[in-house]
Amino acid sequence: MDLKGRVHKFGDDINTDYIISGRYKFKTLDMKELAKHVMEDLDPDFYSKVKEGDFIVGGKNFGCGSSREQAPLAIINAGISAVIAKSFARIFYRNCINTGLPLIECDTDRIDEGDELEIDLHKGVLHNSTKGLDIPITPLPGVMLKILSDGGLVEHFKKYGTFKFD
Amino acid sequence: MGKTIAEKILSSKSGQDAKANDIVIADLDFIMGQDGTSPLAIKAFYEMRGLKVFDPLRIAMVIDHSAPSPLEGVSELHRQMREFAQKQGINFYDIGDGVCHQLLPEQGHVVPGDLVIGADSHTCTYGAINVFSTGVGSTDLAAGIISGKLWFKVPETFKFVLNGKLPPGVFSKDLILYLIGDVTADGATYMAAEYTGETIEELSVEARFTISNMAVEMGAKCGLMAADEKAINWVRKHSRRDFEPVKADPDAVYAKVKEYDVSNLEPQVAKPHTVDNVSPIGEVLGIPVQQGVIGTCTNGRLEDLRIAAQILKGRKIHKNCRLIVAPSSRQVMLEAIKEGVLEILVRAGAAVVTPGCGPCVGTHNGVPSDGENVISTANRNFKGRMGNNRAFIYLGSPATVAASMLTGKITDPREFFV
């Protein structure tokens, strides 16, 4: 899986209320509509700035807060191809894998707003082309790679009818 | 080598010798979804080609986040939930029944030693009665109700040893805010928290729920406590299910252990806009507040309402303030009516709303205006949390909220407990 795009950089402890506010998420299951409000409380113009394939980059504890799966779904529907952070909150982490949004854990201090990145998920390589740097990434455990490569947990269940990891 | 509570419960439910960092597929004892997460789960259930849930009696859906519905779109999602619940024969709690995390223990669905998932981050609440319960998203919920199973990474455990008795006017809410401030919002990420020690033993089971409820605010997967006699009696009063409490082995291996003496703890307040931005009350005294909220899955129980009533009895809230009270369930509300607690609160000037989550989660029932300060017994104060990203939310105990409502500014409640 090769990913290529531009960076939208955020700080530490980005919570799911910032990703998609409770004001919107209870109203509809239309993720295209919710996507317009992604990150709105931190950057009102965020949605209009994103180009298909771009990355969200955060600091530590990205996705803390509620269990709303609307958070990764709204991110996906905004055109973001992966979220990169120093660490993730666990429910958000599971929700990303389950909805098929790749997550990358690595040191994000050397990634800045607007940088161009290239990522090879299977080889586990992140290249910052703007800065000419390779940044090591923490490989995903097998179970998660399996769900991700099936296209998320819905597709996994469609295929196997239950959990199947061996 | 001994095991933690988390390792023991996940071993018994997966049928394998599970140690921290193993990945297991385990059988679920109970599964819950609320109205913010169930509609997506129902959609995923059908997309996964689900026909029947694995066991309707082990599943509950609860309408509490927008109850009653403030909007047409929400009404449609509620309709989908009612239809699904009826078709599948699962437990269903409609508007006015209460907040999911009050209902599951109160209605006897969860008992010590259980493995429970809920599509709500505060599912960790039942750790107070020795349940490994954790929040998941909607797709996990769908997979759970189809298969009765879920995969888990067995968490390492962060043990909190709490010594000493809380002083008068200082409550379990102050204690958990203090701990979150100390270890920060990601201090226990990916870990199970275990709360032990004489402080916990002294607390009522209701007060313990407040602590486990907020385990997720330090990043934890669950907030476990051992089941002592008090907890066992509480569960027997609420449930007819058999159960076997799970204790940590004396030689269990912990990723971290921290010890605290709470005998001099002061009331604590979390300041905007993060839960770990905690100060002792002395540093925030006098900050004006326009709205108070007493309720939520953190502090909407009978004991919490009684504490507020003790302060507000025969008094009136400040003219610049409004106080919203949301009892955490119908049963709590009925008991509070019977005891006269609600009458005291209403006479003092409180607006009582339907048992539910609205005022905490910003769906309705008290959205603050620009620039206003709110003091709330809830568990989150993120920017925009209550529905307005230009308002400021402070978190404290029911006593701190009640005392602050009398003066219109953040007030130390200890003077009411001498």
Side-chain angles (χ1 to χ4, degrees):
Chain A
M1 217 191 251
D2 286 327
L3 307 169
K4 202 174 165 184
R6 232 169 14 118
V7 167
H8 302 269
K9 180 97 190 253
F10 295 89
D12 291 337
D13 301 312
I14 300 301
N15 64 61
T16 54
D17 278 80
Y18 290 159
I19 298 170
I20 183 71
S21 164
R23 315 195 272 291
Y24 305 114
K25 76 123 176 173
F26 295 97
K27 287 186 193 168
T28 176
L29 291 185
D30 180 353
M31 295 303 148
K32 292 263 175 252
E33 184 55 38
L34 286 184
K36 294 179 188 160
H37 303 289
V38 165
M39 297 293 188
E40 187 182 85
D41 285 348
L42 295 174
D43 178 359
D45 304 321
F46 179 77
Y47 177 74
S48 58
K49 286 186 201 162
V50 173
K51 287 208 185 73
E52 193 70 31
D54 280 0
F55 303 111
I56 286 176
V57 178
K60 67 177 179 63
N61 203 27
F62 191 96
C64 61
S66 89
S67 65
R68 62 193 68 167
E69 208 159 289
Q70 288 89 339
L73 289 171
I75 290 174
I76 293 170
N77 281 280
I80 296 289
S81 66
V83 183
I84 305 162
K86 289 181 187 168
S87 64
F88 292 92
R90 58 161 289 279
I91 304 177
F92 181 79
Y93 191 106
R94 288 186 78 102
N95 286 346
C96 287
I97 302 293
N98 286 342
T99 51
L101 174 65
L103 289 176
I104 292 144
E105 259 186 357
C106 69
D107 178 10
T108 55
D109 284 343
R110 292 178 296 166
I111 304 175
D112 293 311
E113 179 73 27
D115 283 0
E116 294 276 347
L117 306 181
E118 287 172 50
I119 301 167
D120 184 329
L121 275 182
H122 287 285
K123 283 195 193 138
V125 181
L126 185 153
H127 180 70
N128 185 335
S129 355
T130 306
K131 295 197 164 58
L133 280 172
D134 282 325
I135 298 170
I137 65 184
T138 315
L140 287 172
V143 167
M144 295 169 217
L145 266 182
K146 170 73 180 146
I147 295 173
L148 211 50
S149 63
D150 284 337
L153 192 59
V154 167
E155 296 303 319
H156 182 91
F157 260 65
K158 263 193 204 166
K159 216 158 147 184
Y160 305 107
T162 187
F163 291 103
K164 176 117 181 103
F165 294 128
D166 26 53
Chain B
M1 212 163 49
K3 287 184 174 172
T4 62
I5 299 176
E7 288 170 325
K8 280 192 174 175
I9 294 179
L10 287 173
S11 292
S12 108
K13 302 298 172 186
S14 68
Q16 70 186 74
D17 181 24
K19 287 279 186 199
N21 298 316
D22 289 349
I23 288 183
V24 298
I25 297 176
D27 292 326
L28 303 169
D29 292 294
F30 205 80
I31 302 173
M32 183 276 297
Q34 37 89 339
D35 52 327
T37 52
S38 295
L40 262 182
I42 294 168
K43 191 166 162 252
F45 176 88
Y46 290 120
E47 284 171 4
M48 288 170 162
R49 307 197 176 117
L51 296 169
K52 276 235 144 291
V53 298
F54 84 107
D55 181 353
L57 299 180
R58 289 171 185 260
I59 301 167
M61 282 186 185
V62 182
I63 294 184
D64 57 3
H65 275 54
S66 310
S69 167
L71 288 165
E72 209 177 307
V74 175
S75 308
E76 167 55 20
L77 298 177
H78 287 176
R79 189 198 61 75
Q80 292 171 14
M81 284 176 72
R82 292 187 186 107
E83 186 184 85
F84 183 83
Q86 198 175 15
K87 201 166 152 192
Q88 296 286 341
I90 62 176
N91 296 286
F92 186 70
Y93 296 97
D94 214 316
I95 62 161
D97 285 336
V99 179
C100 54
H101 303 310
Q102 174 66 15
L103 289 169
L104 258 58
E106 176 194 284
Q107 299 297 317
H109 292 304
V110 296
V111 297
D114 272 359
L115 175 61
V116 174
I117 59 165
D120 186 279
S121 58
H122 293 108
T123 302
C124 49
T125 307
Y126 333 131
I129 51 168
N130 196 231
V131 176
F132 186 111
S133 53
T134 193
V136 298
S138 300
T139 307
D140 274 330
L141 176 64
I145 63 177
I146 289 175
S147 67
K149 295 175 193 296
L150 199 66
W151 67 267
F152 294 90
K153 185 171 173 191
V154 182
E156 296 184 307
T157 296
F158 189 151
K159 181 174 170 177
F160 294 83
V161 184
L162 303 158
N163 301 315
K165 199 175 168 228
L166 291 171
V170 181
F171 299 91
S172 62
K173 178 60 162 288
D174 300 300
L175 172 55
I176 187 63
L177 285 176
Y178 179 77
L179 297 180
I180 293 164
D182 186 52
V183 304
T184 77
D186 67 344
T189 295
Y190 306 132
M191 287 191 255
E194 246 185 54
Y195 304 104
T196 67
E198 54 173 326
T199 317
I200 301 293
E201 288 159 25
E202 282 279 327
L203 292 174
S204 69
V205 174
E206 294 202 336
R208 294 178 195 180
F209 280 126
T210 304
I211 293 178
S212 294
N213 174 268
M214 293 190 74
V216 66
E217 308 308 331
M218 48 172 75
K221 192 166 190 163
C222 46
L224 291 158
M225 297 183 189
D228 59 2
E229 214 184 309
K230 224 188 251 181
I232 289 169
N233 289 337
W234 191 96
V235 175
R236 288 227 171 95
K237 229 176 82 190
H238 290 85
S239 183
R240 270 174 287 177
R241 285 184 52 202
D242 288 331
F243 57 88
E244 212 170 308
V246 175
K247 260 193 203 143
D249 289 326
D251 58 343
V253 180
Y254 292 94
K256 276 186 187 172
V257 180
K258 271 198 106 166
E259 208 159 325
Y260 299 83
D261 182 351
V262 307
S263 17
N264 294 315
L265 191 73
E266 296 171 81
Q268 305 285 313
V269 171
K271 299 171 291 184
H273 294 288
T274 58
V275 186
D276 59 359
N277 188 18
V278 176
S279 287
I281 193 138
E283 291 175 22
V284 289
L285 286 178
I287 294 177
V289 285
Q290 290 79 37
Q291 180 167 304
V293 175
I294 297 174
T296 79
C297 56
T298 319
N299 278 120
R301 300 182 182 83
L302 186 60
E303 188 175 292
D304 301 314
L305 302 182
R306 281 183 188 146
I307 291 166
Q310 190 181 334
I311 293 173
L312 296 175
K313 189 170 185 173
R315 299 187 170 96
K316 287 262 185 247
I317 64 170
H318 193 271
K319 62 178 169 44
N320 296 344
C321 291
R322 55 219 185 248
L323 172 61
I324 295 161
V325 173
S328 61
S329 72
R330 184 186 303 281
Q331 195 172 316
V332 167
M333 193 164 184
L334 281 169
E335 283 167 31
I337 289 171
K338 227 187 293 171
E339 282 189 13
V341 163
L342 270 200
E343 183 177 346
I344 293 170
L345 298 177
V346 171
R347 283 192 188 280
V352 179
V353 299
T354 312
C357 316
C360 168
V361 78
T363 45
H364 64 151
N365 277 346
V367 176
S369 70
D370 288 8
E372 280 192 328
N373 293 332
V374 178
I375 182 142
S376 165
T377 65
N379 42 37
R380 289 207 175 115
N381 60 350
F382 302 152
K383 199 174 171 188
R385 173 75 180 178
M386 292 180 69
N388 182 342
N389 61 15
R390 292 168 302 275
F392 301 85
I393 308 166
Y394 295 81
L395 305 176
S397 74
T400 301
V401 174
S404 304
M405 283 297 98
L406 290 175
T407 57
K409 48 197 183 200
I410 297 182
T411 299
D412 190 333
R414 283 177 294 184
E415 59 182 281
F416 295 94
F417 294 90
V418 282

